[in-house]
Amino acid sequence: MDDAALPFAGRFLACILAAGCACTGAAAQDEPVPAEVKLPVAEATDDDVVPDPNRPAPPAEEPAGTDALGEVVSPGEQIEFEADQLEYDDNAETVTARGRVILRGDNASVRANEVVWNRASGQILASGNVRFVDDSGNQIFTESIELTDEFEAGAMEDLLLALRAGGRLAARSATRGEDGTVLLTDAAYTACAVTDEEGCDRDPSWRITADRVVYDPDASRVRFDGAMLELFGARILPLPGLALRTDGSAESGFLVPNLRIDQVNGLEVSGEYYWRLAENQDLTLGAFIYSDVAPMISGQWRHLTEKGAYQITGYATSSRRVDDFGAMSTTSSSPRGYLFANGRFQFDPNWSLTGSVRLASDRTFLRRYDLSRDDRLRSTVNLERIDDNSYLSVAGWGTQTLRINARQGQIPLALPVFDYRRQFEDPVLGGEIELQANTLNLTRNDGQDTQRAFAGARWDLRRLTPLGQVVTLTGLVRGDVYNTSNTLATLTPSYRGDEGWTSRAIATAAVDVSWPFVGEAFGGTQVLTPRVQLVASPPIRNLAVPNEDSRAIDLEDSNLFALNRFPGYDRVEDGARLVYGVDWELTKPNWRVMTNIGQSYSFSNQRDIFPDGTGLSERVSDFVGRTEVRFRNNLTFTHRFRIDKDSFELRRNEIDAAIGSQRNYVEIGYLRLDRDIQTVEDLQDREEIRAAGRFTIGRYWSVFGSGVFNLTSAQEDPLFDSDGFEPIRTRLGIAYSDDCLEFGATWRRDYTTAGDAERGNSFQVFFALRNLGFR
């Protein structure tokens, strides 16, 4: 039998079922399958009815219409004919249409070479290059099909079902049951493209064959019996209970398992079952089997409500862990696990509630089972009200440290945290007024407790002068009240503050002037903007109050012109200072370059609140700046720096660069902090480099890798005990990826040991069918 003798949909079926695997039925064994066939492309034409799910329903009392013979029928029964020839047999009560035949119903259509309609029985028999579009937009291609006058499909031979949500299902034959379901025999399904960009035949990367398939049009569901996954023509994996939905939504079933090997847990095989309980609820249950340790179970519950959504994820197992990380560390076997939950609820246009919970049984569980590399877990809750002129937040948070040498008793619990801000529509002296009130309560099990409250007002006036200068005037007043206890538990003296109740007043005034100049340069447009700022504040009692949220101080380009260059509220820069700098930007086709540099001068010699090495401890600050370069989407480069004002050495050198496209790229990140700060523990010197890249081999294969390397020497940080080049993590892998399939293998090595999360190698195999709900 040659290709031309094969029916239209049969040629498609032959291609799907070819490539080394035949159907299990006798018919498939008897009928030869051609090696190369031209595949049909399921595309709708203007003649077909493809229903729009967003189209409104017709009126309840639609006027009666007429059929192809001019007889009156009810709206639900109306069928329109188009054909080259039309014959009517009065005795048999049949209508025969030949030629280019098109039948249209309310939401469906049929196109065929010949259609015979039995008006008495309501049966419609279409034959010859049949294309049937149902009321859901799915298309059936076959040589013959039986339909009812309600456009419900019956028996078919050599059919192709093109699902509207994507994917094609071909079968030798199909029959319709009394319950409306369609039973397909010797079927094959794929969501891959079967032709390439030039329209040439292409074997799909994967397909699923089955002895029989049950298609339920009403439930938009396809269920496979005896399903087998084939990868590049090889039968590799049975898929019992496989089902999918034709409308693109999720369906309950097993997900593709994962395979992994590491130095601690041994061989790991994990699998999950996805259970769709309702359109707005689902549950995923997982199991992790290890060769060297006890198994682990997991679960994830997701729920979409009328007011919002939330999810709860948990892991549980039992294994040996380190109980004491001191010189004489001990281990014990005990239950271990991790809980992660978060959600957001919008009660009305103004009020919302967000929250998250992250808790681990111990400090090494997440790293040992490769669930997360975080060194702290934060749980939060925040009730907010937002309108056009005001903001209200009532929040709280707690943190669980996962750092080996950190003391959990020193980590604060913040509850409650109150913040209210209001802007007034009517200007005051031509400027905008914003009021703010804030309270904070920090408690520790083994450390200092702090309560803080303040209220303040800020006034901003922005004007454009006739010469083009942008002038901004700012005024701020604030009153603070603190209450602290157990201050001696804080190791850094400058963070403690005075014991008991303490108050202070803050007043700040600033004038900021920038003057942009625009012109042509290098075939593009350049903007040169000099900027000057003058800020003044009377002496402030900074060291009398504790420092809880302003510790990470470092002069950067982002805070050079800030009204307060400390983060948070506990420290406020006082005295008078002059800040000056210049911005330059060049924009031309495909290119964008931005750079800035600046410095500040303080009129006061009292700089005690700034540790040496931050760039702000002397009257004249260090130079800070940033340069960004972008070329299309192929190059991004960012360089941030701080230069010592005396020696011109780089105290901060940070580079982030990415070169290439999505298929081939290299990313590099470098950071060096050479600040020589010895008075506080939060601002140690660091140097590290990060690199990642991906390179394609041919059209579908690629290799990728990444690494993080610590370049800090023992001279810079004796506590690190490093030699100036110490890998932290490295990764190398190979992957295959096309339009519907992704798989590969990854090797990773960790170079640090934390308790039972030991250093060593791990190997992982990943596999994903993109258009089958697995990713």
Side-chain angles (χ1 to χ4, degrees):
M1 182 182 297
D2 59 14
D3 293 354
L6 280 175
F8 183 74
R11 295 200 300 272
F12 177 85
L13 176 63
C15 181
I16 291 291
L17 298 179
C21 94
C23 291
T24 58
Q29 297 174 0
D30 296 338
E31 183 173 351
V33 178
E36 296 182 2
V37 294
K38 179 64 177 179
L39 297 177
V41 179
E43 296 180 351
T45 66
D46 295 337
D47 299 326
D48 295 309
V49 175
V50 179
D52 183 358
N54 299 319
R55 188 180 67 180
E61 298 182 357
E62 185 177 339
T66 60
D67 62 14
L69 301 179
E71 298 183 7
V72 178
V73 295
S74 63
E77 300 173 349
Q78 182 171 344
I79 298 177
E80 296 180 356
F81 268 109
E82 288 184 17
D84 296 337
Q85 299 178 8
L86 188 64
E87 298 178 0
Y88 179 66
D89 189 333
D90 292 331
N91 297 327
E93 289 192 73
T94 59
V95 178
T96 302
R98 295 186 180 90
R100 191 171 181 270
V101 185
I102 300 176
L103 281 71
R104 293 189 181 93
D106 289 338
N107 289 306
S109 68
V110 175
R111 190 185 68 183
N113 293 339
E114 181 178 280
V115 172
V116 179
W117 178 19
N118 190 317
R119 292 172 54 83
S121 63
Q123 182 188 54
I124 300 175
L125 178 61
S127 60
N129 293 329
V130 179
R131 182 199 297 262
F132 169 61
V133 183
D134 65 15
D135 55 2
S136 298
N138 303 309
Q139 302 179 63
I140 296 177
F141 300 84
T142 183
E143 277 299 297
S144 64
I145 185 173
E146 294 181 5
L147 300 169
T148 68
D149 53 5
E150 295 179 354
F151 270 33
E152 294 179 346
M156 290 166 279
E157 297 291 335
D158 289 331
L159 67 100
L160 162 66
L161 173 60
L163 304 179
R164 178 166 185 164
R168 296 172 174 86
L169 182 64
R172 292 293 182 187
S173 62
T175 58
R176 184 180 185 86
E178 295 182 356
D179 58 354
T181 60
V182 179
L183 176 63
L184 300 90
T185 58
D186 292 341
Y189 170 81
T190 184
C192 302
V194 294
T195 58
D196 58 20
E197 297 177 354
E198 288 76 23
C200 299
D201 297 345
R202 168 189 167 190
D203 289 334
S205 303
W206 63 266
R207 56 190 160 211
I208 296 172
T209 60
D211 298 333
R212 38 177 253 155
V213 175
V214 179
Y215 170 43
D216 188 344
D218 295 333
S220 299
R221 189 173 187 267
V222 176
R223 187 180 73 251
F224 296 81
D225 293 338
M228 177 68 70
L229 174 64
E230 297 183 3
L231 187 63
F232 298 108
R235 298 163 64 90
I236 62 170
L237 182 68
L239 299 174
L242 176 66
L244 58 89
R245 295 185 62 88
T246 62
D247 56 5
S249 59
E251 174 70 17
S252 300
F254 288 97
L255 304 183
V256 173
N258 291 318
L259 182 65
R260 185 172 180 270
I261 302 175
D262 67 26
Q263 69 284 352
V264 178
N265 302 323
L267 175 64
E268 172 191 336
V269 179
S270 61
E272 293 179 312
Y273 181 82
Y274 175 80
W275 187 7
R276 188 169 182 82
L277 301 173
E279 292 297 322
N280 64 332
Q281 303 175 42
D282 59 34
L283 176 65
T284 303
L285 301 175
F288 301 77
I289 308 299
Y290 306 95
S291 61
D292 297 346
V293 294
M296 181 172 66
I297 59 174
S298 68
Q300 183 185 60
W301 164 263
R302 301 189 303 177
H303 188 195
L304 176 65
T305 70
E306 294 182 356
K307 297 295 184 180
Y310 68 93
Q311 70 86 27
I312 304 173
T313 302
Y315 297 84
T317 186
S318 178
S319 62
R320 298 189 66 82
R321 70 178 184 183
V322 177
D323 294 324
D324 186 359
F325 293 96
M328 301 295 294
S329 60
T330 60
T331 62
S332 64
S333 182
S334 59
R336 310 177 69 181
Y338 170 60
L339 174 66
F340 169 49
N342 65 342
R344 177 179 176 84
F345 300 92
Q346 190 76 39
F347 303 114
D348 60 34
N350 302 119
W351 286 95
S352 65
L353 176 67
T354 58
S356 65
V357 176
R358 298 188 69 190
L359 296 173
S361 58
D362 54 88
R363 303 193 182 195
T364 60
F365 174 79
L366 294 179
R367 288 192 57 188
R368 171 168 179 170
Y369 290 94
D370 199 27
L371 299 178
S372 173
R373 293 283 162 178
D374 294 340
D375 61 359
R376 61 177 65 88
L377 302 178
R378 196 178 191 191
S379 300
T380 65
V381 62
N382 190 9
L383 177 65
E384 293 179 295
R385 186 186 186 280
I386 305 175
D387 60 26
D388 294 339
N389 300 313
S390 66
Y391 171 79
L392 170 65
S393 169
V394 181
W397 65 82
T399 303
Q400 178 186 5
T401 182
L402 302 183
R403 297 182 178 181
I404 300 301
N405 299 320
R407 294 169 54 188
Q408 182 63 48
Q410 289 281 350
I411 307 300
L413 172 66
L415 187 70
V417 181
F418 174 87
D419 188 55
Y420 177 75
R421 307 181 190 193
R422 181 172 183 81
Q423 293 180 340
F424 292 90
E425 296 181 355
D426 297 331
V428 176
L429 300 178
E432 297 180 351
I433 287 286
E434 178 182 284
L435 302 180
Q436 182 181 10
N438 182 282
T439 65
L440 171 68
N441 177 43
L442 297 179
T443 58
R444 295 176 172 89
N445 293 331
D446 185 20
Q448 176 175 320
D449 295 338
T450 300
Q451 292 83 44
R452 180 193 70 199
F454 71 78
R458 175 169 174 161
W459 174 81
D460 288 284
L461 173 64
R462 183 183 178 91
R463 290 290 185 268
L464 180 65
T465 69
L467 295 179
Q469 298 100 334
V470 180
V471 181
T472 304
L473 303 178
T474 302
L476 182 145
V477 292
R478 200 178 86 194
D480 300 351
V481 176
Y482 285 81
N483 181 33
T484 59
S485 59
N486 197 19
T487 57
L488 295 180
T490 299
L491 299 179
T492 304
S494 61
Y495 291 167
R496 295 172 181 170
D498 297 339
E499 188 86 10
W501 290 92
T502 307
S503 61
R504 67 176 180 179
I506 299 171
T508 302
V511 55
D512 190 307
V513 180
S514 61
W515 196 352
F517 295 90
V518 182
E520 297 181 357
F522 308 105
T525 301
Q526 67 171 339
V527 181
L528 180 68
T529 308
R531 185 177 178 184
V532 178
Q533 181 191 60
L534 180 63
V535 184
S537 296
I540 298 173
R541 302 180 60 196
N542 278 295
L543 298 181
V545 301
N547 185 359
E548 298 281 6
D549 62 5
S550 302
R551 300 182 180 184
I553 175 62
D554 196 9
L555 181 62
E556 303 175 2
D557 64 285
S558 60
N559 64 10
L560 176 64
F561 287 93
L563 203 62
N564 180 26
R565 292 186 283 197
F566 281 95
Y569 299 105
D570 292 334
R571 290 291 181 265
V572 179
E573 187 176 359
D574 54 7
R577 67 180 184 271
L578 180 67
V579 187
Y580 41 88
V582 61
D583 297 344
W584 182 74
E585 179 178 352
L586 173 66
T587 304
K588 58 184 300 184
N590 302 322
W591 284 93
R592 186 179 184 186
V593 181
M594 296 181 295
T595 186
N596 61 62
I597 190 171
Q599 191 183 35
S600 67
Y601 174 82
S602 175
F603 296 95
S604 172
N605 287 324
Q606 301 297 324
R607 315 291 293 171
D608 297 340
I609 60 174
F610 294 105
D612 291 336
T614 59
L616 292 167
S617 57
E618 300 182 19
R619 298 184 67 170
V620 179
S621 76
D622 290 344
F623 296 95
V624 292
R626 178 182 62 192
T627 299
E628 295 183 13
V629 179
R630 177 181 290 274
F631 173 71
R632 295 180 178 173
N633 292 324
N634 304 113
L635 169 66
T636 58
F637 174 85
T638 302
H639 180 216
R640 301 176 65 194
F641 60 88
R642 176 160 67 87
I643 302 176
D644 190 287
K645 65 178 179 60
D646 298 319
S647 63
F648 295 100
E649 294 183 8
L650 281 172
R651 296 303 181 188
R652 180 189 188 99
N653 190 15
E654 184 177 359
I655 297 174
D656 287 288
I659 304 173
S661 61
Q662 292 183 349
R663 290 175 53 85
N664 297 280
Y665 64 85
V666 175
E667 296 179 350
I668 298 176
Y670 173 78
L671 174 64
R672 176 175 173 82
L673 301 177
D674 184 18
R675 300 175 293 193
D676 297 331
I677 300 176
Q678 306 295 333
T679 56
V680 293
E681 71 273 17
D682 301 277
L683 304 173
Q684 299 298 324
D685 289 344
R686 290 290 183 269
E687 184 176 10
E688 73 173 28
I689 188 171
R690 309 175 306 278
R694 178 181 292 271
F695 301 95
T696 57
I697 304 173
R699 187 171 184 179
Y700 301 116
W701 289 92
S702 64
V703 293
F704 57 90
S706 63
V708 180
F709 304 91
N710 178 25
L711 306 182
T712 309
S713 64
Q715 181 180 1
E716 293 173 322
D717 189 352
L719 298 179
F720 247 47
D721 193 25
S722 59
D723 59 1
F725 183 86
E726 181 177 345
I728 300 176
R729 285 188 308 277
T730 55
R731 186 181 66 150
L732 184 64
I734 184 170
Y736 173 93
S737 178
D738 60 24
D739 59 330
C740 60
L741 172 66
E742 180 181 355
F743 67 88
T746 302
W747 164 80
R748 192 181 68 196
R749 179 172 179 83
D750 290 320
Y751 294 85
T752 58
T753 296
D756 59 329
E758 300 177 2
R759 61 185 296 171
N761 300 314
S762 63
F763 302 88
Q764 183 173 6
V765 177
F766 58 91
F767 178 80
L769 305 179
R770 292 182 175 174
N771 297 332
L772 200 60
F774 294 140
R775 173 165 294 187

